[in-house]
Amino acid sequence: MFTLTAESPWAQTMSLLENCSTMKHLKQIHAQMIKTETATDPKLATKLLTLCSTPHFGNLHYAQMVFNGITRPTTFMWNAIIRAYSDSNEPKIAFLLYCQMLSSSVPPNSHTFPFLLKSCRDLSAMGEALQVHGLIVKLGFGSDVFAMNSLIRAYTLCGDIQYARQLFDHIPERDVVSWNTMVDGYIKFGDVKSAYGVFLEMPLKNVVSWTSMISGLVEAGLGVEALELCCEMQRAGFELDAVAVASMLTACANLGALEQGRWLHFYVLNNGVHLDRVIACALVNMYVKCGDLEEALQVFAELKASLKDVHVWTAMIEGFAINGRGVEALEWFNKMQREGTRPNSITFTAILTACSYGGLVEEGKSLFKSMKSLYNLSPCIEHYGCMVDLLGRAGLLQEAKELIEMMPMKPNAVIWGALLKACQIHGDFFLAGQIGTHLVEVDSDHSGRYIQLATILAAEGKWKEAAELRLKMKKLRVLIPPGKSLITLDGVVHEFLAGHQDHPQMKQIHQKLNQVAERLRKEGYKPVTKDLWLDLENDEKETVMAQHSEKLAIAFGLINMKPGTTIRVVKNLRVCGDCHDVAKLVSRIYKRDIVMRDRVRFHHFRDGRCSCRDYW
């Protein structure tokens, strides 16, 4: 119990308030303040109110009681209680309190409006934001940069980027926060190009400016540009903060840029960047997505127990899954629980994917059933998709179809697409034709649906129907995304597009491909053209397939990387059967490990074999 002496109650009370750490102690101090009649002191009352309304103490009800006990609240006190509600789950009350503040003839100051505008942002209340804007101007705060910055952010988060830009262009004074707010607003609006335009115009940039822009590029899938901007940031003399590091690790994961990812790991260890749960998970995920599971395991082993949350465990399990190591994924799933971490919905997506890619049918069925019975998790559409894929890959097409029909939710195109792929693999052209026709109707903007159906029609020799489908695509202007492969050399990401000739080494690449083709023919290789749905002669098909982006990337690697160096390729689409066979042969003939990440999983080629065991 706290006791105040009569000698200096004000000083002792302020000292106690400043050192208070629990709500229980705060209430004791308040009780003593009432006894010693210091509860009405403006500074002490404001301090008490501010403390009990902060997230640390989290007692909004008590804060309101303290506020109600103040006879004449000052502007600072009104701001404290308005702020408390703007940070709570009841932001609407902040507006009611503001109205009471005005009716009590207490004037607001420049700090009042940001709290109100935060409530507008949280409620997406554009009308209220406009009203607050009018009050700001009316009460003479139209030139206050603090209030204007809050208003710009409110407009962007309420979804009106044009209002925000108009205000930004016309405010009399802009500081670095104004610029950063506008950059961040465009990024949240999905307009990265405009964000970058504002970023380039900034007269003065700080760490937040660079980090926001880098994060925006990563979120937009522009990893190469993010890496380039990161280098510019360092050349400008700025150190990477934790947010920038986490974003860059994500970019490296998306690009498969292992060299840059390793450099970032080194940067974290040697530049005082706090290794929190976000960066820990980002590091594990980066190594996993770059195909270096051993390094991911090393990072995981070195993490403190407090950092090994469900997200880090799930990243490791997903790593085993996409690298075709299903049995190890199951072992880690059990190990995670033995060490006290309960799996969540995302963990189950990862482990079911591991079962699917590893052909572990019974294990997958058991885990799927356990979601509800043991973990009280209701399977969502992603889990059903994993199960359809699991059953379909194993050839249990009828069982997969029955599962779809029993789903508690309407199956989407992804679910039907998984079954269609399984039908294609196992040669059930009748069921495949039914599903493919349905998919083309319900997912008419997705080029992959047309290609899958056309491939099936072509495999049946129905070239006329396949040609008609291709004409339908042209009429509807459905674009086929070109195959794209990335390979990193000396910190530079090289991009290859199927059929494109714009790489500076393209002449040497084609020469290398011709040499490779000759060696492959001597080994008895014959191109796999059955999956190519174009109505071409076989020699024309072979020419088209020779231009596939992963073949170009592998040839680039053979030319530029030292003998024995692993060639790492990231592809935006599923690898085709012919490229898969070529990669296996190249790995044996040229004694090169090739790690290829396609749209769904990894393929590790070594000595003429693939980690997927041709089950993909």
Side-chain angles (χ1 to χ4, degrees):
M1 185 71 176
F2 295 106
T3 304
L4 301 176
T5 66
E7 294 180 5
S8 181
W10 191 97
Q12 288 187 48
T13 303
M14 182 59 75
S15 177
L16 288 170
L17 287 170
E18 289 176 347
N19 292 285
C20 182
S21 59
T22 68
M23 194 65 209
K24 180 181 177 181
H25 292 166
L26 192 66
K27 288 180 179 180
Q28 291 174 355
I29 297 169
H30 186 206
Q32 289 292 341
M33 288 172 63
I34 294 171
K35 287 181 181 179
T36 57
E37 298 183 351
T38 55
T40 58
D41 181 89
K43 289 187 178 180
L44 292 177
T46 301
K47 182 68 176 179
L48 174 68
L49 180 62
T50 302
L51 281 175
C52 63
S53 61
T54 58
H56 172 73
F57 290 95
N59 197 325
L60 194 56
H61 174 75
Y62 196 81
Q64 183 70 65
M65 187 187 75
V66 170
F67 182 79
N68 292 341
I70 301 171
T71 307
R72 293 185 180 83
T74 64
T75 299
F76 294 103
M77 295 174 187
W78 280 102
N79 284 350
I81 194 66
I82 289 172
R83 178 179 188 174
Y85 277 103
S86 71
D87 289 332
S88 74
N89 294 324
E90 302 177 274
K92 286 184 178 179
I93 297 179
F95 291 104
L96 297 176
L97 287 167
Y98 177 71
C99 293
Q100 292 176 24
M101 178 183 181
L102 294 181
S103 64
S104 300
S105 301
V106 179
N109 61 17
S110 61
H111 294 278
T112 308
F113 302 108
F115 306 144
L116 287 174
L117 290 167
K118 184 182 183 303
S119 297
C120 295
R121 300 198 306 265
D122 293 344
L123 295 166
S124 296
M126 186 63 184
E128 284 78 359
L130 288 167
Q131 291 179 35
V132 175
H133 188 176
L135 286 169
I136 289 172
V137 175
K138 180 180 178 181
L139 296 173
F141 294 102
S143 59
D144 183 88
V145 68
F146 186 49
M148 290 296 101
N149 290 343
S150 299
L151 194 53
I152 292 170
R153 181 168 294 280
Y155 282 143
T156 60
L157 295 181
C158 285
D160 200 321
I161 195 70
Q162 292 182 344
Y163 258 94
R165 185 56 192 259
Q166 288 175 15
L167 181 60
F168 175 79
D169 289 337
H170 291 94
I171 57 177
E173 182 184 353
R174 292 185 292 210
D175 60 9
V176 68
V177 177
S178 313
W179 289 89
N180 287 344
T181 303
M182 200 65 239
V183 169
D184 187 61
Y186 272 123
I187 288 170
K188 285 184 168 57
F189 194 68
D191 189 350
V192 180
K193 183 178 179 181
S194 294
Y196 189 60
V198 174
F199 176 81
L200 291 177
E201 292 177 18
M202 290 183 70
L204 182 67
K205 299 179 180 71
N206 60 13
V207 172
V208 175
S209 316
W210 290 94
T211 301
S212 295
M213 196 63 242
I214 288 170
S215 300
L217 290 169
V218 173
E219 289 173 15
L222 300 171
V224 175
E225 291 80 357
L227 286 173
E228 292 172 352
L229 193 62
C230 181
C231 293
E232 285 185 37
M233 176 181 179
Q234 292 176 286
R235 286 195 294 269
F238 291 92
E239 295 293 328
L240 303 180
D241 63 4
V243 177
V245 168
S247 293
M248 293 313 304
L249 286 169
T250 301
C252 292
N254 294 340
L255 296 170
L258 184 60
E259 294 174 35
Q260 291 94 324
R262 283 176 175 154
W263 180 87
L264 283 163
H265 188 184
F266 179 84
Y267 188 93
V268 169
L269 296 176
N270 293 278
N271 288 271
V273 177
H274 177 56
L275 183 58
D276 58 11
R277 289 183 177 185
V278 174
I279 292 182
C281 190
L283 275 170
V284 171
N285 183 62
M286 181 275 296
Y287 281 117
V288 160
K289 296 292 175 63
C290 289
D292 195 336
L293 259 182
E294 301 312 312
E295 197 69 41
L297 286 166
Q298 184 66 33
V299 170
F300 185 91
E302 294 173 357
L303 291 176
K304 295 177 181 178
S306 60
L307 297 178
K308 294 178 181 178
D309 63 7
V310 66
H311 304 292
V312 177
W313 280 99
T314 299
M316 277 306 316
I317 292 168
E318 183 188 14
F320 287 116
I322 62 178
N323 282 278
R325 294 162 64 169
V327 173
E328 288 166 278
L330 286 170
E331 291 172 354
W332 272 67
F333 180 78
N334 294 326
K335 181 181 177 182
M336 174 184 74
Q337 295 174 83
R338 286 197 301 270
E339 296 194 14
T341 302
R342 186 177 178 83
N344 62 16
S345 181
I346 301 172
T347 314
F348 271 98
T349 300
I351 194 62
L352 291 174
T353 299
C355 293
S356 177
Y357 291 171
L360 306 172
V361 178
E362 293 307 315
E363 293 87 343
K365 287 182 179 180
S366 176
L367 284 164
F368 184 71
K369 290 178 182 176
S370 75
M371 286 185 68
K372 189 68 177 177
S373 61
L374 294 181
Y375 300 95
N376 198 29
L377 294 171
S378 297
C380 61
I381 199 161
E382 287 80 13
H383 303 118
Y384 279 98
C386 291
M387 288 304 298
V388 170
D389 192 54
L390 168 70
L391 297 169
R393 285 173 186 272
L396 304 173
L397 303 180
Q398 190 58 38
E399 192 173 342
K401 185 171 181 290
E402 289 172 1
L403 180 64
I404 293 175
E405 292 168 349
M406 292 170 57
M407 285 173 54
M409 70 285 290
K410 184 178 180 181
N412 60 15
V414 176
I415 297 283
W416 287 114
L419 183 55
L420 176 60
K421 184 65 181 179
C423 292
Q424 186 180 345
I425 292 171
H426 294 286
D428 190 335
F429 296 123
F430 177 74
L431 181 56
Q434 291 181 322
I435 297 171
T437 302
H438 170 71
L439 274 174
V440 167
E441 292 174 358
V442 300
D443 201 13
S444 59
D445 294 330
H446 194 305
S447 62
R449 310 306 178 199
Y450 294 88
I451 294 171
Q452 277 186 295
L453 179 56
T455 302
I456 291 163
L457 292 170
E460 291 185 279
K462 297 179 179 179
W463 292 106
K464 181 181 177 182
E465 289 88 340
E468 289 174 352
L469 195 60
R470 184 168 52 181
L471 285 173
K472 183 178 180 179
M473 284 182 67
K474 288 182 178 178
K475 287 180 181 178
L476 295 175
R477 297 182 179 179
V478 179
L479 299 177
I480 301 175
K484 179 173 70 174
S485 292
L486 306 175
I487 185 169
T488 304
L489 178 66
D490 297 331
V492 179
V493 179
H494 295 261
E495 181 178 278
F496 295 93
L497 293 174
H500 285 221
Q501 308 294 317
D502 52 355
H503 192 276
Q505 283 188 273
M506 193 54 72
K507 184 177 180 180
Q508 298 97 303
I509 288 170
H510 281 301
Q511 289 173 348
K512 190 66 178 180
L513 280 174
N514 290 334
Q515 295 171 11
V516 171
E518 184 60 32
R519 292 195 63 176
L520 293 181
R521 275 193 288 271
K522 290 179 180 179
E523 296 288 328
Y525 158 75
K526 292 182 180 180
V528 181
T529 60
K530 65 181 179 64
D531 288 335
L532 195 65
W533 65 284
L534 296 172
D535 190 7
L536 302 172
E537 297 298 327
N538 275 341
D539 57 343
E540 293 176 300
K541 289 181 181 180
E542 291 179 25
T543 301
V544 170
M545 297 183 82
Q547 303 297 317
H548 281 192
S549 62
E550 56 266 59
K551 290 191 177 84
L552 299 175
I554 290 172
F556 173 85
L558 290 172
I559 293 169
N560 295 284
M561 294 179 173
K562 294 177 181 179
T565 305
T566 300
I567 297 173
R568 299 177 182 275
V569 178
V570 176
K571 182 176 169 62
N572 66 327
L573 305 175
R574 281 176 62 96
V575 60
C576 74
D578 183 67
C579 289
H580 194 266
D581 283 354
V582 167
K584 285 196 295 184
L585 287 169
V586 168
S587 72
R588 176 170 60 81
I589 294 169
Y590 289 86
K591 294 180 171 51
R592 290 282 193 130
D593 284 5
I594 300 172
V595 178
M596 186 183 298
R597 189 182 91 194
D598 69 10
R599 185 172 57 82
V600 295
R601 65 175 299 167
F602 274 94
H603 299 268
H604 296 257
F605 301 97
R606 173 181 286 181
D607 296 330
R609 295 185 295 274
C610 179
S611 60
C612 74
R613 305 186 308 280
D614 297 334
Y615 189 81
W616 54 284

